[in-house]
Amino acid sequence: MENRIDKTATLTKESAFFAFPFALDNPVMHTEATGGVLGTVRETVPGSATHMRAIRRWISLSDDPHHAALATAGAPLVQLGGIVIPYAPYPQSLPQKEPGTVVSWVHSNIWDTNFPAQQAFHHTFRYSIAITEADEKAAGPIDQLAARTAAVTSHPLMPVRARAETRAGLPAQTRFLTLDHPLVRLVGLTVPSEGQLMIRLQSLADAPVSCRSSTPLVVGAAFRTNCLGLTPHEIGIEPEGTVPALGTVAVVLHLDSSEE
């Protein structure tokens, strides 16, 4: 979904929102934060805002029969259930609260900080939405649906030309890397040095989970580390280990160049 705004300049205090009224009854909500997931009945920083959330890519909603996901890369502030007056004690401005409504806050000049007093722009805000039945096997957990939805814009498919000798028996497709847990996602691949490959992983699960990674590349050794590559220790050449709850981990593969 693309929403285009062509806004003229004004000194009047104002805000603009896009509302997404999901027809869910008192849904459980999760929001992706940097390095974790926040949401209903999860711990928050004492004194932090309860009427507004900053999302990294997605927000997920679920009542028992339905799952819904909303993802955006250009409007990270959302309000849940309505629109509040942005001054303490932050009262609701709508006549009633709508538990299934997500309001995306796209611009404002109401804060007397470093924002311009007049704001004028032409911009396109892009959103991805997914809705599914909770009992569909293909849907998976609620946050898995949201992560897949967000990948459409945050990690789009990129074509890469692969050069190889023409020979018989080449497969029509192959997998460069496979993870065997649906709530563990690949967040990065880097080459720390020649002959090495670092795999960065993030878990969306509420408890520690075991995850195995596999690759058709010939691996001579594998090391578990953190996302900064600090304090590595060797593990098996078919890496399997525990990813902490809502946490991150990294594996460095030392590729064996002596075998084809």
Side-chain angles (χ1 to χ4, degrees):
M1 178 185 298
E2 292 188 352
N3 294 333
R4 298 181 182 134
I5 294 181
D6 188 0
K7 183 188 174 301
T8 56
T10 179
L11 287 172
T12 303
K13 298 288 187 181
E14 62 179 9
S15 296
F17 305 85
F18 293 122
F20 299 88
F22 295 102
L24 303 176
D25 297 325
N26 296 315
V28 173
M29 293 190 182
H30 290 167
T31 56
E32 184 189 29
T34 300
V37 179
L38 304 176
T40 308
V41 306
R42 290 186 172 173
E43 294 183 355
T44 58
V45 176
S48 61
T50 59
H51 63 282
M52 180 172 59
R53 290 285 181 263
I55 63 174
R56 186 173 182 270
R57 297 181 308 153
W58 55 257
I59 178 171
S60 63
L61 308 90
S62 178
D63 56 15
D64 286 337
H66 303 96
H67 292 338
L70 172 68
T72 180
L77 293 181
V78 297
Q79 295 190 31
L80 310 176
I83 300 175
V84 303
I85 303 298
Y87 302 101
Y90 308 107
Q92 281 284 343
S93 65
L94 301 182
Q96 64 183 18
K97 187 172 182 179
E98 302 174 4
T101 296
V102 178
V103 182
S104 176
W105 197 348
V106 295
H107 93 85
S108 78
N109 66 346
I110 59 176
W111 291 318
D112 296 319
T113 56
N114 57 340
F115 290 96
Q118 299 185 65
Q119 293 186 20
F121 60 86
H122 177 82
H123 190 69
T124 300
F125 296 89
R126 295 177 173 85
Y127 299 87
S128 298
I129 299 172
I131 302 172
T132 187
E133 299 293 331
D135 58 356
E136 289 185 11
K137 293 182 179 180
I142 174 177
D143 293 344
Q144 181 187 354
L145 173 68
R148 291 204 312 266
T149 305
V152 174
T153 52
S154 63
H155 294 287
L157 292 176
M158 297 180 61
V160 177
R161 183 178 181 182
R163 299 178 180 272
E165 296 180 0
T166 302
R167 62 180 186 272
L170 287 176
Q173 64 179 19
T174 187
R175 291 179 182 269
F176 175 72
L177 181 70
T178 302
L179 305 176
D180 71 353
H181 198 287
L183 287 180
V184 176
R185 59 182 290 263
L186 176 68
V187 295
L189 285 172
T190 56
V191 180
S193 61
E194 185 176 357
Q196 297 181 9
L197 180 67
M198 175 180 278
I199 305 167
R200 291 184 173 90
L201 307 175
Q202 178 190 13
S203 173
L204 301 178
D206 290 329
V209 296
S210 179
C211 179
R212 177 185 291 270
S213 60
S214 58
T215 176
L217 302 175
V218 180
V219 178
F223 294 82
R224 181 186 174 105
T225 181
N226 58 26
C227 286
L228 297 177
L230 304 176
T231 62
H233 62 274
E234 190 169 1
I235 56 179
I237 60 172
E238 294 184 0
E240 179 177 11
T242 300
V243 185
L246 300 175
T248 59
V249 71
V251 175
V252 177
L253 304 180
H254 289 226
L255 306 180
D256 190 345
S257 60
S258 63
E259 298 187 36
E260 293 293 337

